[in-house]
Tab-separated table of all heavy atoms in Angstrom:
chain	number	residue	atom	x	y	z
A	14	VAL	N	-3.566	5.263	-14.255
A	14	VAL	CA	-3.595	4.030	-15.050
A	14	VAL	C	-4.011	2.850	-14.183
A	14	VAL	O	-4.826	2.001	-14.583
A	14	VAL	CB	-2.224	3.781	-15.703
A	14	VAL	CG1	-2.167	2.381	-16.326
A	14	VAL	CG2	-1.935	4.836	-16.759
A	109	PHE	N	-9.456	8.353	-7.127
A	109	PHE	CA	-8.161	8.966	-7.459
A	109	PHE	C	-8.080	10.379	-6.891
A	109	PHE	O	-7.060	10.763	-6.302
A	109	PHE	CB	-7.982	8.984	-8.973
A	109	PHE	CG	-6.756	9.724	-9.433
A	109	PHE	CD1	-5.508	9.138	-9.361
A	109	PHE	CD2	-6.854	11.019	-9.938
A	109	PHE	CE1	-4.377	9.810	-9.785
A	109	PHE	CE2	-5.726	11.698	-10.359
A	109	PHE	CZ	-4.487	11.094	-10.281
A	225	ARG	N	37.147	64.266	14.511
A	225	ARG	CA	36.524	63.005	14.920
A	225	ARG	C	35.130	62.871	14.338
A	225	ARG	O	34.744	61.818	13.819
A	225	ARG	CB	36.443	62.920	16.446
A	225	ARG	CG	37.738	62.540	17.144
A	225	ARG	CD	37.482	62.249	18.599
A	225	ARG	NE	36.533	61.149	18.731
A	225	ARG	CZ	35.888	60.849	19.857
A	225	ARG	NH1	36.071	61.601	20.937
A	225	ARG	NH2	35.071	59.842	19.904
A	243	VAL	N	34.822	49.074	9.852
A	243	VAL	CA	36.138	48.431	9.759
A	243	VAL	C	37.067	49.012	10.819
A	243	VAL	O	37.084	50.225	11.064
A	243	VAL	CB	36.743	48.638	8.352
A	243	VAL	CG1	38.115	47.989	8.258
A	243	VAL	CG2	35.800	48.071	7.298
A	272	VAL	N	32.028	64.182	39.847
A	272	VAL	CA	33.478	64.223	39.683
A	272	VAL	C	33.936	62.907	39.072
A	272	VAL	O	33.530	61.828	39.512
A	272	VAL	CB	34.186	64.445	41.037
A	272	VAL	CG1	35.704	64.415	40.854
A	272	VAL	CG2	33.745	65.763	41.659
A	279	ASP	N	49.552	50.347	34.002
A	279	ASP	CA	50.260	49.704	32.897
A	279	ASP	C	50.868	48.406	33.418
A	279	ASP	O	51.849	48.410	34.153
A	279	ASP	CB	51.348	50.636	32.358
A	279	ASP	CG	51.972	50.097	31.074
A	279	ASP	OD1	51.669	48.940	30.717
A	279	ASP	OD2	52.731	50.836	30.439
A	283	LYS	N	54.998	46.096	35.360
A	283	LYS	CA	55.158	45.141	36.450
A	283	LYS	C	56.035	43.969	36.033
A	283	LYS	O	56.544	43.238	36.861
A	283	LYS	CB	53.783	44.621	36.893
A	283	LYS	CG	52.926	45.699	37.531
A	283	LYS	CD	51.601	45.113	38.000
A	283	LYS	CE	50.753	46.160	38.672
A	283	LYS	NZ	49.460	45.619	39.153
A	387	LEU	N	31.038	43.888	29.950
A	387	LEU	CA	30.505	43.286	31.166
A	387	LEU	C	29.728	44.321	31.957
A	387	LEU	O	30.244	45.406	32.250
A	387	LEU	CB	31.637	42.716	32.023
A	387	LEU	CG	32.591	41.738	31.310
A	387	LEU	CD1	33.659	41.255	32.276
A	387	LEU	CD2	31.823	40.570	30.716
A	388	ILE	N	28.482	44.003	32.298
A	388	ILE	CA	27.612	44.918	33.048
A	388	ILE	C	27.213	44.232	34.347
A	388	ILE	O	26.716	43.112	34.344
A	388	ILE	CB	26.344	45.274	32.231
A	388	ILE	CG1	26.738	46.033	30.965
A	388	ILE	CG2	25.387	46.102	33.063
A	388	ILE	CD1	25.555	46.402	30.094
Side-chain angles (χ1 to χ4, degrees):
V14 170
F109 174 78
R225 281 190 60 195
V243 179
V272 177
D279 189 351
K283 293 182 178 181
L387 307 180
I388 296 179

